[in-house]
Amino acid sequence: MTLLTASSSYFYSMGPEFLLIIAIGIVGFIVQSRLQSVFNKYSKVPFAGGLTGREVAEKMLRDNGITDVRVTHVSGELTDHFNPANKTVNLSDSVYESNSVAAAAVAAHECGHAVQHAVGYAPLKWRSALVPVTSFSSKFAILFIIGGIVLAGVTNNLVLFWIGIGMIAMSALFSIVTLPVEYNASHRALAWLENEQILNSQQQAQAKEALTWAARTYLVAALSAIATLIYYIGFARRD
């Protein structure tokens, strides 16, 4: 049976790999919704220190001896990120000028990445090295998969399809490497917030909850990437 012929029966059979992807997708939707709910809730909770997200970020950078990273403003919501290329901590509309618990948590988390970069945290280096390859793979993997199905239907040759699978594997690897980077940044953020007594005990717990749900979105993304990889491998091996 050719891959092209097998494709229709595989989709109709709804194998366990495909059902796993659906299940993870549902979990991902729930986690993302919960993150949004938690963020919105704690965005309305001010903390006694009164520092804005920008001020929290600047203080954390100073406290860690980092003087070559700028704190900038970017549009959107939950678009906060650290850019190691130009050494900027970029804070979103709901974080930059907000003095909420959520803003403090997010700003400190992004500075956690800046600290990782400053100390040469290995997983961050690995993730940065994977960015160019992953960017290419995420754009063109599906084209190789589709081309591989067509080629297999004509020549029964799976080489192109397996190249596509390899590209999907690179995206999965990127998602896996991202996990320690994100969890470690949250750990650094929470430790600093506690040590500097930026938040009281109740607010510290709220910040931890917000960052925990944020980290879970990366966990779901990694599981989804792995499930997708397993799905296409099973798809290729069916005969």
Side-chain angles (χ1 to χ4, degrees), residues 4-228:
L4 186 61
T5 305
S7 63
S8 58
S9 63
Y10 191 77
F11 280 111
Y12 281 116
S13 67
M14 296 292 286
E17 301 95 339
F18 190 75
L19 296 179
L20 179 61
I21 292 175
I22 294 176
I24 293 174
I26 294 172
V27 172
F29 175 79
I30 294 172
V31 170
Q32 188 64 41
S33 297
R34 179 58 180 165
L35 169 62
Q36 190 68 54
S37 174
V38 168
F39 185 82
N40 289 339
K41 177 181 178 181
Y42 295 141
S43 290
K44 301 174 183 177
V45 180
F47 63 94
L51 298 177
T52 64
R54 172 181 59 82
E55 291 168 333
V56 168
E58 290 172 345
K59 177 172 172 52
M60 184 169 174
L61 293 173
R62 287 196 306 269
D63 289 351
N64 284 274
I66 300 174
T67 59
D68 59 347
V69 173
R70 295 180 298 109
V71 180
T72 66
H73 173 243
V74 293
S75 60
E77 184 172 330
L78 297 179
T79 52
D80 312 85
H81 64 281
F82 169 66
N83 187 337
N86 60 12
K87 293 187 177 182
T88 56
V89 170
N90 304 274
L91 302 180
S92 64
D93 295 330
S94 54
V95 173
Y96 189 78
E97 290 296 345
S98 171
N99 66 341
S100 68
V101 169
V106 171
H109 172 87
E110 298 307 331
C111 287
H113 289 309
V115 175
Q116 289 174 339
H117 186 263
V119 301
Y121 183 60
L124 181 63
K125 289 183 177 180
W126 302 337
R127 186 175 74 168
S128 297
L130 287 171
V131 167
V133 177
T134 304
S135 178
F136 177 84
S137 298
S138 62
K139 290 179 181 178
F140 297 105
I142 192 63
L143 296 180
F144 277 83
I145 291 293
I146 294 174
I149 291 176
V150 174
L151 181 63
V154 176
T155 67
N156 206 32
N157 188 317
L158 298 178
V159 172
L160 196 61
F161 191 83
W162 278 107
I163 291 175
I165 290 177
M167 296 170 75
I168 292 173
M170 291 304 301
S171 296
L173 178 61
F174 181 84
S175 295
I176 293 170
V177 172
T178 293
L179 289 178
V181 174
E182 295 300 329
Y183 276 91
N184 179 264
S186 290
H187 174 75
R188 292 175 189 269
L190 291 170
W192 177 80
L193 288 169
E194 183 174 13
N195 291 338
E196 296 299 316
Q197 299 182 334
I198 302 294
L199 308 174
N200 62 36
S201 58
Q202 181 181 10
Q203 293 163 343
Q204 184 75 18
Q206 293 169 341
K208 182 177 181 180
E209 181 183 2
L211 292 182
T212 297
W213 279 104
R216 285 170 181 165
T217 63
Y218 291 98
L219 177 59
V220 171
L223 292 175
S224 178
I226 293 170
T228 300

